[in-house]
Amino acid sequence: MPDFKPSSVATEPSEAIFVPKSLKAQLEKCTTLPSMPAAVIRVLDVARQPDAGLTDYSQAIENDPALTLRLLSLANSALYSRQQIRMYTCHQAVSRIGLDGTLAAVMSFGLARIGKQESYLKLTWQRAIIAALAARYLSERLCPLYSGPLFTIALLQDIGVLALDCVAPETAERLYSKYLLVPSQLEKKEQALFGCNHASVGAWLGQHWGLPAHLIKGIEDSHGPLVASPNDLLCLRLAGSIADAWLCGDSAKAMANLVRQCKRLDGLEAISTAELLESIQAQLPDMASLLAVEMPEHHDNQQMLQEAKQHLFQQTLSLHTRLDQQQQELQLLRQRQDELEMLSRRDALTGLANRAWLEEQLQLRFTFCRQHQRTMSIAFIDLDHFKHLNDKHGHQIGDKVLERFGALLTSSVREGDLAGRYGGEEFLLVLPDEQASGTRTIVERLIKRLETDPILLIDGDPLYISVSVGIACLCDGDFADIRELIDVADQCMYQIKRSGRSGLAIYKA
């Protein structure tokens, strides 16, 4: 029975896999590109036939005794032999391994021996076999029908490195010796140097060899961010990340970072990290031996997981510390914003509302009163003889008088009232839901207080001031806007000025 093909990588690859024209020209002219032994080419020919079965695969392989022996060794290894039933024929081996697994195996038998064996090429193959084992473990638990294709794709996902090593060996060595296991930087470097990543080159090479379409598409999509769905794509990319963590210099820290990423993804609850690592460790020697790949460094998985947990704990503590700091900084910013907003509304000298804030609030309250059939009154207040006071005592005394008068107004208003400096020595009181008569009472109380209490002492001598006040109530006229209400209050105030100052006048329509 043919292997099932992954849902996310089963579609046809794009008509033209994106490889820049200049690089494609180099690849097409290159005479040292990885090529396949004759037996592998026969298997590839079979794989391209849509109705090919076990017999077709086994017949193509049986013509090469060495390849047959290696495939039997793979089928009888710990990788596949769970029931201790030994396989003796090529047909039995293909049946156990599966069609995709067989294709991956025979290709890898040839490819792993091709070319130079610089350290980064050895590392490339070590990454491939670890990723293949991880992909099979993950897919058996998350998407078992796709286990065979994902094993194959994971094993072949880095063949683009082999091709790039052929066309630009010095550049490839500098790049992959340093960044092969650092995916966050590798793709940026590849884009800068080659105009695409090695996964695209690998897909092009697979197309050049005539690989089945779903394997080409899988290689093309094998590198990228971890995504929660579909599960087959998650398994494939997560397997590569596990291989990176396994082989990097600080595996415990890398594994801790990977575990933290996985916690944000749905669908991985059934995966035991410890069991996954133990499974890879147990099967890795056979896999490395069969493909003639140098065995990666042995891991003490228990110790690595323990160190990873410690890293996670430290990261959590660090995260909480940063969150606390950010919360404090946010609180300070909000407090500062509130202070700045308050300052933008206040007159610097008197501490009362400034003219801009007064006018904005008056407009809002005027609109509210009109919509809800409510009323309000305003008192327009002007300090009498203020210019004379400034000329006689100086501007410092004048400012002090304004400051003290602002404090007096603040103490005179009720909660919900608004007192502000309208300009110079002019002030406004805004009294919501107040009739003119009630406003008159408040203003008379203020005038009397100014008569009895000096505003300040100058060299021990008391200084008294008086005010002229105009009062207007919204319900006492048909005011078109807030400007008209202020103007009539202002006119009433000037009536007092003309009649001798110190007193109040109320607008009546």
Side-chain angles (χ1 to χ4, degrees), residues 29 71 85 140 180 186-187 197 204 255 261-262 280 339 364 375 456 461:
K29 292 178 182 178
L71 196 65
I85 301 175
E140 284 174 349
L180 181 65
L186 178 59
E187 184 162 359
N197 64 8
W204 179 90
M255 196 62 68
Q261 288 182 61
C262 290
I280 295 172
E339 291 172 355
L364 289 173
T375 192
L456 53 82
D461 296 328

Side-chain angles (χ1 to χ4, degrees), residues 88-141:
Y88 294 98
T89 69
C90 186
H91 190 280
Q92 290 174 328
V94 174
S95 176
R96 173 173 283 179
I97 297 172
L99 302 188
D100 270 320
T102 297
L103 179 60
V106 297
M107 289 181 64
S108 302
F109 292 154
L111 284 173
R113 286 180 165 76
I114 290 174
K116 300 165 289 181
Q117 288 297 302
E118 275 82 357
S119 58
Y120 74 91
L121 292 177
K122 292 178 184 178
L123 193 62
T124 300
W125 279 109
Q126 289 174 344
R127 184 183 188 278
I129 60 177
I130 293 170
L133 294 173
R136 191 169 71 167
Y137 180 94
L138 293 166
S139 60
E140 284 174 349
R141 284 150 184 81

Side-chain angles (χ1 to χ4, degrees), residues 162-354:
L162 305 181
L164 290 169
D165 174 67
C166 292
V167 297
E170 293 182 1
T171 302
E173 183 172 8
R174 286 196 306 271
L175 175 64
Y176 295 115
S177 295
K178 188 173 182 180
Y179 296 108
L180 181 65
L181 304 178
V182 192
S184 61
Q185 299 184 48
L186 178 59
E187 184 162 359
K188 295 178 184 177
K189 300 288 183 181
E190 288 178 324
Q191 290 287 347
L193 291 170
F194 302 119
C196 64
N197 64 8
H198 72 271
S200 295
V201 176
W204 179 90
L205 186 58
Q207 201 172 56
H208 176 74
W209 288 335
L211 287 182
H214 71 281
L215 297 183
I216 297 171
K217 181 61 175 170
I219 294 169
E220 190 177 21
D221 292 342
S222 59
H223 294 68
L226 297 180
V227 291
S229 61
N231 279 346
D232 53 331
L233 187 59
L234 172 60
C235 289
L236 179 61
R237 292 182 176 177
L238 181 54
S241 297
I242 290 168
D244 291 335
W246 186 289
L247 293 168
C248 76
D250 191 345
S251 296
K253 185 176 181 180
M255 196 62 68
N257 290 333
L258 186 57
V259 169
R260 191 179 69 251
Q261 288 182 61
C262 290
K263 285 183 176 179
R264 297 196 290 264
L265 299 172
D266 296 328
L268 296 179
E269 299 82 3
I271 302 300
S272 165
T273 306
E275 289 181 8
L276 167 63
L277 298 179
E278 288 301 326
S279 173
I280 295 172
Q281 189 77 276
Q283 298 178 66
L284 197 51
D286 282 343
M287 189 76 169
S289 175
L290 286 165
L291 297 182
V293 174
E294 184 177 313
M295 179 68 181
E297 181 182 348
H298 178 81
H299 278 298
D300 183 337
N301 289 323
Q302 293 298 326
Q303 181 179 352
M304 181 172 68
L305 284 175
Q306 190 61 38
E307 291 177 7
K309 289 179 181 177
Q310 185 63 30
H311 277 297
L312 282 171
F313 178 70
Q314 293 296 336
Q315 289 171 358
T316 302
L317 282 180
S318 176
L319 178 62
H320 283 315
T321 300
R322 289 200 303 271
L323 286 175
D324 288 342
Q325 290 174 345
Q326 290 172 356
Q327 196 65 33
Q328 291 174 7
E329 290 171 2
L330 182 60
Q331 187 64 31
L332 288 173
L333 284 173
R334 286 173 176 166
Q335 183 178 340
R336 180 59 179 159
Q337 184 178 5
D338 290 342
E339 291 172 355
L340 289 173
E341 188 174 351
M342 186 64 71
L343 287 173
S344 72
R345 299 173 178 178
R346 296 296 175 189
D347 173 63
L349 180 62
T350 64
L352 300 174
N354 59 28

Side-chain angles (χ1 to χ4, degrees), residues 414-433:
R414 306 158 302 181
E415 185 176 356
D417 296 342
L418 179 63
R421 186 182 179 190
Y422 199 65
E425 67 274 20
E426 296 176 337
F427 297 83
L428 274 182
L429 279 180
V430 183
L431 297 98
D433 295 319

Side-chain angles (χ1 to χ4, degrees), residues 151 164 501:
F151 176 84
L164 290 169
R501 294 181 172 82

